[in-house]
Amino acid sequence: MTAELKFYPYDHPELIPAGSIRCFETEMIPYPDHRRRRILVWLPADYDGEKRFPVIYLHDGQGVFECGDGRHKLQADRALELLRVSEGISAIVVAIDTAETRGSELTPPLRRGERGAVVNGHPVPIIDEPSTTDLYAEFVVNTLKPMIDANFATLPDAGHTCIGGISAGGSASYYMILKYPEVFGKAIVCSPGFPMFSLPLMLEDLDSYDFERLKDHRIAFYNGDQGIDVTSVDYVLAVYRKLKEKGLDRRQCMFLLDTRQTHDEKPWGKYLPEILRFLFREDNAEF
């Protein structure tokens, strides 16, 4: 039985215009070093403890909500409030903070590209730490999600559960929906760090993947085409095309490209309402 969580107040509730945020800390059980992490749970304005809601799990929790530090945020709360008022789309957001161990946690164990590789004139970042994304994913699936489902009014099935992230978090989200399609029915993959991996091997892995596991799933890709995002756009487009080739139709798979944008929370936040609309609107045939 999951223990009742001990919540504490969000530092800047005045910066959250609608809904409310609850905070708690938890041990990341699969990790042997007993690392702990802050979790932020945003509850929409129409949350009453009885009506049940979809849940969106987002990596890099420090970049999800306004906190007064002057940096751009995803503003997932504002995106969902806009959709709640305009289209009746509402969801709980669970933001998972990251730490200095982010590189190992969010860089999945996909087969790596060549060391020192250059893509579109830009060197590919090198992360020498061994991947612990399998442990991180196990934490989300077997520790965090049961906590959230036990303490909040959620719709716990895969069709109402989304995993999402940006940059390395985008790579992790892509990896996690493929590994746990019975848990996550939707994924947000923004400007992922795909160039760190071998594109031919990524596409080869998709050729051997059982796509029956994704028959009712939705994946939203976004990428800019300026700065470091230049390195990932061709990779993301290739993966998107492979998914379409394997049978995911326009209601299941979307690719947004803004050639003016770089690798930053401002454009990611700008397109988040459209991404969430695609993922959660019952009839998204127009996309």
Side-chain angles (χ1 to χ4, degrees):
M1 184 175 180
T2 304
E4 185 176 352
L5 299 178
K6 295 181 179 179
F7 298 108
Y8 58 87
Y10 185 55
D11 291 339
H12 297 281
E14 74 282 359
L15 299 179
I16 307 302
S20 61
I21 293 182
R22 298 185 184 181
C23 311
F24 68 94
E25 290 188 1
T26 184
E27 182 180 341
M28 301 180 78
I29 297 294
Y31 284 92
D33 60 5
H34 304 290
R35 65 187 67 178
R36 298 184 63 81
R37 202 57 50 86
R38 184 183 72 157
I39 308 296
L40 305 176
V41 182
W42 179 77
L43 303 174
D46 53 341
Y47 184 88
D48 60 7
E50 295 185 7
K51 176 184 175 182
R52 294 189 172 273
F53 290 83
V55 182
I56 303 167
Y57 292 87
L58 295 176
H59 316 299
D60 294 315
Q62 297 96 326
V64 174
F65 308 110
E66 291 292 351
C67 64
D69 64 0
R71 298 181 181 180
H72 294 302
K73 306 297 178 183
L74 286 180
Q75 297 186 340
D77 55 320
R78 300 178 191 223
L80 281 163
E81 175 63 9
L82 172 67
L83 293 175
R84 184 185 73 84
V85 172
S86 63
E87 301 186 38
I89 296 173
S90 201
I92 295 169
V93 177
V94 178
I96 308 162
D97 274 5
T98 45
E100 293 181 358
T101 48
R102 177 182 187 271
S104 62
E105 290 177 0
L106 297 182
T107 303
L110 299 172
R111 292 180 281 180
R112 300 296 180 94
E114 291 184 9
R115 190 177 184 86
V118 175
V119 177
N120 293 331
H122 292 257
V124 174
I126 297 172
I127 295 180
D128 288 324
E129 304 168 82
S131 174
T132 66
T133 305
D134 283 325
L135 294 178
Y136 178 88
E138 185 181 339
F139 159 70
V140 175
V141 170
N142 295 325
T143 301
L144 181 58
K145 187 177 185 300
M147 286 181 178
I148 298 299
D149 291 337
N151 286 274
F152 297 96
T154 69
L155 293 166
D157 61 291
H160 292 96
T161 305
C162 177
I163 188 73
I166 57 179
S167 193
S171 302
S173 299
Y174 168 80
Y175 179 76
M176 289 169 70
I177 195 173
L178 293 180
K179 182 170 184 178
Y180 293 104
E182 73 282 2
V183 177
F184 305 111
K186 308 177 192 299
I188 300 167
V189 183
C190 290
S191 304
F194 285 170
M196 287 186 288
F197 314 114
S198 167
L199 180 59
L201 294 177
M202 288 180 69
L203 299 181
E204 181 182 296
D205 288 343
L206 287 177
D207 279 329
S208 62
Y209 188 80
D210 178 7
F211 276 85
E212 278 297 308
R213 303 178 73 197
L214 297 179
K215 63 180 181 180
D216 297 316
H217 291 49
R218 295 182 184 182
I219 304 176
F221 294 97
Y222 162 82
N223 221 88
D225 197 22
Q226 298 294 321
I228 193 66
D229 259 25
V230 171
T231 66
S232 57
V233 62
D234 291 342
Y235 281 64
V236 177
L237 185 56
V239 169
Y240 166 77
R241 286 172 171 164
K242 176 63 73 171
L243 292 172
K244 297 296 289 290
E245 174 190 314
K246 291 296 183 178
L248 271 66
D249 61 27
R250 62 194 176 97
R251 297 187 184 189
Q252 294 179 272
C253 198
M254 176 179 73
F255 176 55
L256 291 173
L257 172 65
D258 189 336
T259 59
R260 303 163 296 179
Q261 302 295 345
T262 187
H263 201 77
D264 184 77
E265 273 85 358
K266 188 173 183 179
W268 295 325
K270 173 184 176 181
Y271 285 102
L272 187 59
E274 186 171 355
I275 288 170
L276 294 174
R277 184 181 294 113
F278 170 79
L279 292 175
F280 286 96
R281 197 167 74 175
E282 186 173 343
D283 179 11
N284 64 356
E286 70 179 42
F287 289 91

